[in-house]
Amino acid sequence: MREIYYITKRNCQVFFRDKAAVFFSILSMLIVLGLMVIFLGSMNSRSVVNVLAEYGGVRDTAKDEKNAEYLIQLWTLAGILVVNSVTVTLTVMGSMVQDETRKRIMAFYVTPVNRTKLALGYIFSAWLVGIIMCVLTLVVGELYFLINGNDLLPVGSLFQLCGMICANTFTFSALGYLMALFIHSDSAWSGLLTIIGTLVGFAGGIYLPMGSLSETVQTVLKCLPVLHGASMMRQVATATALSDTFAGLPGQVPEVFRNELGITVCAGEHCFLIGEQLAILAAYAIIAIVLAALINRKRRLKDR
């Protein structure tokens, strides 16, 4: 365990020592959060207000607009947390690619530390940094809500979100390590990060709500961990705001809204529970670790 601790500590220090990488990770988080709140948030909140006006009869328009805006902002924040859990962990995992391209990883191979502990060191470092950056995103989001006169999320919801952040970041750290085994240059890894950073917003139903996508695309996305990670965080983040926004409306209206915006993910008649979605994330992490172990074992035998 000491070896894993020191490798994890070393990789975390490598990331935080690179001030530019930390700065741009935070900056990109703030830019994406701001753009989504300003543009997508405004567009989606207007849609909610229109639905309330259509089905709700005589209502307080000003209150509906405030509730709808807050609801969409919470929905957006949950999506951003998942985007960060992917992009930040992959950025940290880039240290493994750098170690390989600069031949530093050979120094580990000649030490008594086996490759399993080395792999866990890379995964745990990406996991810890991912948690830190995602929790920072959550704090910034909560401060933004507070400044705008909205209530903070309940303490219980915050603890649930932190637990889900841990689950998401660990899964994507494991998947990131598996991908890093096949990348052997910094430029290739940077290109992969660009592609994944672009696609993850669509895979989580963030840039385009689920209801805007075709049935075929929705079916594919429901097989990916990104959508389930975003969905369970949205369920927790928006629970109170959703009840306040759709108060007085027929039950099928908020249900349709949950499905359209990917708050609830359903396959046929079955809607996934949070426990099931956590199990899906865990399954992806276990499969990634097992495959990575098999690949490392094969390479180790080949090197002998």
Side-chain angles (χ1 to χ4, degrees):
M1 290 298 296
R2 289 183 59 191
E3 294 90 342
I4 297 175
Y5 167 76
Y6 286 118
I7 295 170
T8 301
K9 180 181 177 181
R10 175 257 182 190
N11 292 336
C12 290
Q13 289 175 335
V14 168
F15 174 79
F16 286 112
R17 194 180 297 127
D18 188 348
K19 299 298 189 295
V22 176
F23 172 77
F24 284 111
S25 293
I26 296 174
L27 182 63
S28 62
M29 168 196 75
L30 295 176
I31 290 174
V32 174
L33 182 60
L35 289 175
M36 292 189 69
V37 167
I38 293 171
F39 294 105
L40 292 180
S42 177
M43 179 181 65
N44 290 327
S45 61
R46 283 197 300 269
S47 300
V48 174
V49 172
N50 292 336
V51 171
L52 295 174
E54 181 177 354
Y55 292 96
V58 179
R59 298 182 64 90
D60 185 339
T61 303
K63 183 178 180 181
D64 283 345
E65 289 177 350
K66 183 176 178 60
N67 287 338
E69 182 181 7
Y70 184 43
L71 171 62
I72 295 301
Q73 287 174 355
L74 287 168
W75 177 84
T76 300
L77 177 61
I80 293 297
L81 289 173
V82 176
V83 170
N84 281 355
S85 70
V86 176
T87 56
V88 172
T89 53
L90 289 181
T91 300
V92 179
M93 196 58 68
S95 63
M96 173 182 165
V97 179
Q98 291 181 354
D99 287 342
E100 182 175 356
T101 56
R102 298 171 189 177
K103 307 302 182 183
R104 288 196 294 255
I105 202 167
M106 301 305 296
F108 290 111
Y109 289 162
V110 298
T111 64
V113 179
N114 61 49
R115 297 197 183 193
T116 300
K117 293 180 179 178
L118 183 61
L120 290 175
Y122 283 115
I123 292 173
F124 287 160
S125 60
W127 183 35
L128 290 175
V129 175
I131 291 173
I132 292 170
M133 300 301 287
C134 287
V135 170
L136 178 61
T137 304
L138 180 59
V139 170
V140 171
E142 286 289 86
L143 289 176
Y144 174 82
F145 299 147
L146 187 62
I147 292 172
N148 281 273
N150 294 307
D151 296 330
L152 297 176
L153 288 171
V155 175
S157 296
L158 290 174
F159 276 111
Q160 284 183 286
L161 288 174
C162 288
M164 292 174 180
I165 285 172
C166 293
N168 275 289
T169 50
F170 183 77
T171 296
F172 297 120
S173 296
L175 290 170
Y177 178 79
L178 179 62
M179 289 187 286
L181 290 175
F182 299 95
I183 305 298
H184 306 291
S185 72
D186 291 341
S187 58
W189 187 252
S190 298
L192 180 64
L193 281 179
T194 302
I195 294 172
I196 293 177
T198 303
L199 293 178
V200 66
F202 294 99
I206 299 165
Y207 299 151
L208 289 175
M210 287 291 289
S212 303
L213 305 174
S214 68
E215 288 294 331
T216 302
V217 174
Q218 289 187 38
T219 301
V220 173
L221 295 184
K222 290 173 185 178
C223 299
L224 302 177
V226 178
L227 179 60
H228 290 284
S231 169
M232 65 183 187
M233 299 189 79
R234 289 167 179 159
Q235 291 182 55
V236 172
T238 65
T240 302
L242 197 64
S243 299
D244 293 340
T245 303
F246 291 96
L249 270 68
Q252 64 267 25
V253 177
E255 182 180 346
V256 170
F257 177 82
R258 290 189 189 96
N259 293 333
E260 288 291 309
L261 268 76
I263 297 174
T264 303
V265 177
C266 300
E269 297 297 323
H270 176 71
C271 292
F272 291 95
L273 302 175
I274 289 178
E276 294 172 331
Q277 293 174 318
L278 285 171
I280 291 172
L281 291 176
Y284 267 93
I286 292 170
I287 291 171
I289 291 173
V290 170
L291 289 176
L294 292 174
I295 292 170
N296 278 329
R297 181 183 179 187
K298 183 177 180 180
R299 290 182 178 178
R300 185 171 64 251
L301 294 174
K302 185 178 179 180
D303 292 340
R304 289 180 178 177

